[in-house]
Amino acid sequence: MEHALRALLGDDGVLPGTTRAYLTDATESRNIRGRADAVALPRDAAQVRDTVAWCYKHDVPITPRGGGSGFTGGAVPLDGGVVLSLERLAGPPQLEPERWRAHVPAGVTTAELSRRAREEGLLYAPDPGAAEQSQLGGNIATNAGGPHTFKYGVTGTWVTGLELVLAPGELISIGGPVRKDVAGYDLKSLIVGSEGTLGIVTAAWVKLLPAPEAQLPVVAFFPDVETGCQALTTIMASGLVPAALEYLDEIAVAHAIRAFPGEAPRDPAFMLIAEADGSVPEAQRLRAELLEAMAPGALATHAPEQRGEIRELWRWRSGVSLAVISVRGGKVSEDIVVPLEYLAEAIIATREIGARHDLPACSWGHAGDGNLHSTFMIDLEDPAEMHRSEQAAEDLFSLAVRLGGSVSGEHGLGLVKRGALAQQWPGPAVALHESIKRLFDPKGLLNPGKKVANR
Amino acid sequence: MEHALRALLGDDGVLPGTTRAYLTDATESRNIRGRADAVALPRDAAQVRDTVAWCYKHDVPITPRGGGSGFTGGAVPLDGGVVLSLERLAGPPQLEPERWRAHVPAGVTTAELSRRAREEGLLYAPDPGAAEQSQLGGNIATNAGGPHTFKYGVTGTWVTGLELVLAPGELISIGGPVRKDVAGYDLKSLIVGSEGTLGIVTAAWVKLLPAPEAQLPVVAFFPDVETGCQALTTIMASGLVPAALEYLDEIAVAHAIRAFPGEAPRDPAFMLIAEADGSVPEAQRLRAELLEAMAPGALATHAPEQRGEIRELWRWRSGVSLAVISVRGGKVSEDIVVPLEYLAEAIIATREIGARHDLPACSWGHAGDGNLHSTFMIDLEDPAEMHRSEQAAEDLFSLAVRLGGSVSGEHGLGLVKRGALAQQWPGPAVALHESIKRLFDPKGLLNPGKKVANR
């Protein structure tokens, strides 16, 4: 197989299937690792097409791979075959600043796209957690969100066109630089979030926005979950529109607080981070209103105004996940969503589920979107704990479905949640889902074993 | 057929197929009228399901119908069968103001939803042209846009959940009140914009936003298209984000100007309408910046600040379409989209295409989205003109495709543009499009003859 791929991609375009870095993703933190026969590193979209065509002809499974920062094992090859990494499709994004848009190869990192946009005074709004590592293609495959999704929407909101390879080996475009298009069914949105199971994105047109002049976060610490969630309700009922609305529960705060770049009260049970953005006067006005809305019942507030302090705060927020991993060496972290009115209930239930399975648990995440990162901290060396954490995750999914929510708000299903969709969707919708998969991928070779609706 | 439907829907749930109001839509302005065997008026989602089940069992075509304000004949029954009007699914929208969302039956008019939201201090952002007539179900079926789409996005942006009837007669839900969900393929977006050819929406969950305190329009008149389009570029390059960015060309202005609620210069060749919104100080700041960006080269500007004047301006803007119809009694109006840099070219080409086919032509529309309402004014009594207008429309579609745009930005394909997708999409994508139709509607009974990709 390596030999055949070298003929297509050149010697530098193929690595041995045993190359460890390509056999896992962020699920390394729960000991997940796959097996591949070869790693393909196509240089351009035509080589992606040729690789897919070769694999499709020879019945070889294809596991597409972006930056490998996913939490669901979506990029983990299960049963051999080819890992197809898009990392070399990384030519710089082509920005058209006056038209608020860019054409971006799939392998460009999220951080690189954001930086280039900023250099032109523009904002690429999606801000998933591992921006230096994740790539636009992977963000599209998972329809990635982030803290600022609350105001700005998920990745798909910003994609107007896709270039992609379909089975059995066709390179096509859907959409483009146009801002509106209702001529066909929305195939673009069908591909976005399909986790490499319907086609492989090689480039995208994305919309940009003028960057807000100011971004002013407001942090508040609370004595309990209810008071904190009440502040969230007050913000929304007051008609304030923060750019982000994040929370940490008691245990998440406890594990991360030592590095907090500011003063924090002793043992808060809940933390809320809101951000005001816009023109300088607008962001300042909103900052003041957020402070007023969040102060009642708060133990303390913290609202940095210096650029350096603000950057430190968000850097600290990005580090929460690592701080939680470091407690016991591993974690199982899910991304359930619930209707807003059940946020407090889901936060409390996460801890209860942990207790029931004898696992320390915590949660943090995107409060304004009702999107929790419900997490069990585990010892990777203890198989019994690993097993209990899987059962705990199942309980989380049942909780989300029972509350009218979703088993996944931003990570997708990948390997670790495959089959979970059938809990949440009615039978006819699940059947259509599976039929659509067969339509796009009749041989079942595109990221096999991932995102399947039925287990 | 009427008899069988009465057994399902009661005597008041069925009208004769000859009931004229149900046989056309806004394509009445181009003499399009269909033929039906019966009109079904189900009272609730269960009756919609029962009607679809009966039709599917008896191989009877179903033409779903909202407010009948569409421009493509999407609601026109072609070959008999049942017109299924959702107008009685009009129970009031259930608003949850503190959570910025509503559950809305498909037959609620767009204006009713907007009014209810406003009463709670909230904004339902989509603002298609015939809001008093159009219904949410129809807005979803076409993924309707409007002037404020520039800042706020099309209808689908605001839909988080759908209740719908699928063939052969299943009532299901996808999504719900949650703000994020990436568990399954995005079936919701596949249904949105599918023009009743994949399923029939009976209700939706929509997101709302706190209503902006102020909405301040700024109008500028220009001596030519290029100077006007340059103003648009200046606005975007300056990083200003208006809520709307509309234009009228010379002929559209000429026909509508008599009723203009303000002073206008003699014979302007181009008109731009921008709107600043947000908090009062923010909207005022942006209004001033828009005036500054639009003034260079303008013949005159007009920026009303009184609520009544502002309402008059937007009412006038809504009346442009009728003013143009009134010139010759009929019009063929398409909704092509082009990348922003080709807006001026498409505006000029619309006039040239009209001249080539000996038809007076004009255009207006959503400048910031590159979305033109390119229009030929016709005499409905003259079959030769009708024929020429169809050829002119074909030239428009070729223009849009040649410029890298779309044949439809907000009206959909319906009857009058069916088959046009194949001009714009590559073969494999068109084939998938047709396969998806067969998957959802194997008997081809859901709005037959509409939106088909190949002619």
Side-chain angles (χ1 to χ4, degrees):
Chain A
M1 183 176 307
E2 273 188 51
H3 184 74
L5 288 174
R6 272 179 221 281
L8 288 176
L9 307 176
D11 281 346
D12 63 345
V14 185
L15 295 173
T18 49
T19 316
R20 280 180 66 94
Y22 293 88
L23 301 180
T24 189
D25 56 14
T27 51
E28 199 159 23
S29 75
R30 54 202 282 186
N31 261 351
I32 292 175
R33 184 167 286 278
R35 188 183 73 73
D37 296 311
V39 177
L41 305 171
R43 244 193 325 269
D44 54 31
Q47 288 198 343
V48 176
R49 179 198 59 209
D50 295 345
T51 307
V52 169
W54 186 87
C55 288
Y56 228 79
K57 188 171 169 200
H58 295 89
D59 292 315
V60 172
I62 304 160
T63 304
R65 182 181 183 86
S69 56
F71 279 104
T72 66
V76 175
L78 293 187
D79 250 339
V82 171
V83 172
L84 196 164
S85 171
L86 282 301
E87 68 194 72
R88 297 211 294 177
L89 277 69
Q94 300 298 314
L95 268 79
E96 302 183 29
E98 293 190 359
R99 297 188 271 273
W100 302 357
R101 70 188 193 210
H103 181 264
V104 192
V108 170
T109 65
T110 318
E112 165 83 356
L113 173 55
S114 297
R115 265 194 299 270
R116 298 271 181 156
R118 280 279 173 182
E119 285 166 12
E120 302 289 350
L122 295 168
L123 174 72
Y124 173 66
D127 60 343
E132 294 289 350
Q133 186 186 349
S134 74
Q135 298 167 6
L136 182 67
N139 292 166
I140 290 172
T142 54
N143 201 7
H148 292 79
T149 293
F150 180 68
K151 177 172 175 182
Y152 292 104
V154 289
T155 299
T157 312
W158 300 94
V159 174
T160 61
L162 292 176
E163 289 158 31
L164 75 160
V165 173
L166 294 173
E170 305 257 15
L171 176 61
I172 68 157
S173 294
I174 305 171
V178 289
R179 294 172 56 95
K180 288 166 94 176
D181 183 2
V182 295
Y185 297 146
D186 191 354
L187 289 196
K188 179 210 74 178
S189 294
L190 194 61
I191 297 293
V192 173
S194 66
E195 303 184 39
T197 64
L198 300 182
I200 299 175
V201 172
T202 57
W205 281 98
V206 299
K207 288 192 287 187
L208 306 168
L209 271 180
E213 269 178 1
Q215 295 176 297
L216 298 173
V218 177
V219 177
F221 298 93
F222 298 92
D224 51 64
V225 176
E226 291 74 12
T227 317
C229 288
Q230 181 54 50
L232 187 150
T233 301
T234 303
I235 290 170
M236 292 184 69
S238 308
L240 309 179
V241 185
L245 208 38
E246 301 280 296
Y247 85 97
L248 281 78
D249 86 344
E250 180 175 5
I251 305 297
V253 175
H255 291 308
I257 200 74
R258 217 175 327 161
F260 183 70
E263 281 208 52
R266 277 178 67 93
D267 304 329
F270 193 81
M271 179 179 178
L272 209 52
I273 310 173
E275 186 165 80
D277 75 354
S279 65
V280 170
E282 184 65 10
Q284 283 174 339
R285 190 190 57 79
L286 182 53
R287 171 181 179 274
E289 290 180 340
L290 286 169
L291 269 168
E292 197 177 317
M294 291 160 75
L299 301 168
T301 59
H302 171 71
E305 294 190 87
Q306 300 305 314
R307 192 175 292 261
E309 293 176 303
I310 293 168
R311 203 167 33 224
E312 281 309 304
L313 175 67
W314 282 112
R315 194 173 298 160
W316 174 82
R317 165 63 186 85
S318 298
V320 169
S321 182
L322 284 175
V324 169
I325 288 180
S326 74
V327 178
R328 307 199 62 227
K331 71 173 168 70
V332 166
S333 192
E334 302 300 350
D335 60 322
I336 59 170
V337 195
V338 296
L340 287 179
E341 61 272 35
Y342 300 123
L343 178 64
E345 183 172 340
I347 292 169
I348 293 165
T350 295
R351 297 278 300 280
E352 290 169 351
I353 290 170
R356 199 152 65 230
H357 295 280
D358 195 19
L359 293 168
C362 66
S363 71
W364 68 93
H366 315 305
D369 283 325
N371 187 187
L372 297 82
H373 294 309
S374 292
T375 302
F376 307 108
M377 292 165 269
I378 55 174
D379 176 353
L380 296 176
E381 309 296 318
D382 183 340
E385 269 196 26
M386 297 292 293
H387 180 67
R388 294 205 305 278
S389 72
E390 279 169 35
Q391 294 178 311
E394 291 297 329
D395 286 1
L396 274 182
F397 303 148
S398 302
L399 171 77
V401 171
R402 183 170 61 75
L403 296 176
S406 172
V407 298
S408 181
E410 45 182 36
H411 300 160
L413 298 193
L415 169 63
V416 302
K417 278 178 278 188
R418 60 179 169 176
L421 184 64
Q423 292 179 46
Q424 155 179 348
W425 272 17
V430 169
L432 282 169
H433 192 272
E434 300 278 273
S435 303
I436 287 171
K437 165 68 176 174
R438 280 192 295 274
L439 206 58
F440 279 77
D441 179 20
K443 286 188 169 185
L445 296 175
L446 296 176
N447 217 0
K450 315 293 172 58
K451 208 181 179 73
V452 285
N454 283 299
R455 215 164 306 191
Chain B
M1 184 176 309
E2 272 189 52
H3 183 73
L5 289 174
R6 272 179 222 282
L8 288 177
L9 308 176
D11 280 347
D12 63 345
V14 185
L15 295 172
T18 50
T19 315
R20 280 181 65 94
Y22 292 88
L23 302 179
T24 189
D25 57 15
T27 51
E28 199 159 22
S29 76
R30 54 201 285 186
N31 260 349
I32 292 175
R33 185 166 286 279
R35 188 184 72 73
D37 296 311
V39 177
L41 305 171
R43 243 194 326 267
D44 54 30
Q47 288 196 342
V48 176
R49 179 198 57 208
D50 294 346
T51 307
V52 169
W54 185 89
C55 289
Y56 227 78
K57 186 170 170 197
H58 295 89
D59 293 316
V60 172
I62 304 160
T63 304
R65 182 180 183 86
S69 57
F71 279 105
T72 66
V76 175
L78 294 187
D79 250 340
V82 170
V83 172
L84 194 164
S85 172
L86 282 300
E87 68 194 73
R88 297 212 294 178
L89 277 68
Q94 300 300 313
L95 267 79
E96 302 182 29
E98 292 191 358
R99 297 188 270 272
W100 302 359
R101 70 190 193 207
H103 181 262
V104 192
V108 170
T109 65
T110 318
E112 165 82 356
L113 173 55
S114 297
R115 266 193 300 270
R116 298 272 181 154
R118 280 278 172 183
E119 285 166 13
E120 302 288 350
L122 294 168
L123 173 73
Y124 173 66
D127 60 341
E132 294 290 350
Q133 187 186 347
S134 73
Q135 297 166 7
L136 182 67
N139 292 167
I140 289 171
T142 54
N143 201 6
H148 291 79
T149 293
F150 179 67
K151 178 172 175 181
Y152 293 104
V154 290
T155 299
T157 312
W158 301 93
V159 174
T160 60
L162 293 175
E163 289 159 30
L164 75 160
V165 173
L166 295 173
E170 305 256 16
L171 175 60
I172 67 157
S173 294
I174 305 172
V178 289
R179 294 172 55 96
K180 287 167 96 175
D181 184 1
V182 296
Y185 297 147
D186 191 354
L187 288 196
K188 180 212 76 181
S189 295
L190 193 61
I191 298 294
V192 173
S194 66
E195 303 182 39
T197 64
L198 300 183
I200 300 175
V201 171
T202 58
W205 282 98
V206 299
K207 287 191 288 186
L208 306 168
L209 271 180
E213 270 179 2
Q215 295 176 296
L216 298 173
V218 176
V219 178
F221 298 94
F222 297 92
D224 51 65
V225 176
E226 290 75 12
T227 317
C229 288
Q230 182 54 49
L232 187 150
T233 301
T234 303
I235 289 170
M236 292 184 69
S238 307
L240 309 179
V241 185
L245 207 39
E246 301 279 297
Y247 84 96
L248 281 80
D249 87 343
E250 178 174 7
I251 306 297
V253 175
H255 291 309
I257 200 74
R258 219 176 326 163
F260 183 71
E263 281 209 52
R266 276 177 67 93
D267 304 329
F270 193 80
M271 178 179 180
L272 209 52
I273 310 173
E275 186 166 79
D277 75 355
S279 65
V280 170
E282 185 63 12
Q284 282 174 339
R285 191 190 57 79
L286 182 54
R287 170 181 179 274
E289 291 181 340
L290 286 169
L291 269 167
E292 196 178 318
M294 291 160 75
L299 300 168
T301 59
H302 171 72
E305 294 189 86
Q306 300 304 314
R307 193 174 291 260
E309 293 176 304
I310 292 168
R311 203 168 34 228
E312 282 308 304
L313 175 67
W314 282 113
R315 193 174 297 161
W316 175 82
R317 165 63 186 86
S318 299
V320 170
S321 181
L322 284 175
V324 169
I325 288 180
S326 74
V327 178
R328 307 198 62 227
K331 71 172 169 69
V332 166
S333 193
E334 302 300 350
D335 60 322
I336 59 170
V337 194
V338 296
L340 286 179
E341 61 271 35
Y342 299 123
L343 178 65
E345 183 171 341
I347 291 170
I348 293 165
T350 295
R351 297 278 300 282
E352 289 169 352
I353 290 170
R356 201 153 65 228
H357 294 280
D358 196 20
L359 293 169
C362 66
S363 71
W364 67 93
H366 314 306
D369 283 325
N371 188 188
L372 297 82
H373 294 310
S374 291
T375 301
F376 306 108
M377 291 164 270
I378 54 174
D379 176 353
L380 296 175
E381 310 295 320
D382 183 339
E385 269 195 27
M386 298 291 290
H387 180 67
R388 293 205 304 280
S389 72
E390 278 169 35
Q391 294 178 310
E394 291 297 327
D395 286 0
L396 274 182
F397 302 148
S398 302
L399 172 76
V401 172
R402 182 171 61 76
L403 296 176
S406 172
V407 299
S408 181
E410 46 183 35
H411 301 161
L413 298 192
L415 170 63
V416 303
K417 276 178 280 187
R418 61 179 169 176
L421 184 64
Q423 291 179 47
Q424 154 179 350
W425 273 17
V430 168
L432 281 170
H433 192 273
E434 300 277 274
S435 303
I436 286 171
K437 165 69 175 173
R438 281 192 297 273
L439 205 57
F440 280 78
D441 179 20
K443 285 189 169 184
L445 296 174
L446 296 176
N447 216 0
K450 314 294 171 58
K451 208 182 178 74
V452 284
N454 283 299
R455 213 164 308 192

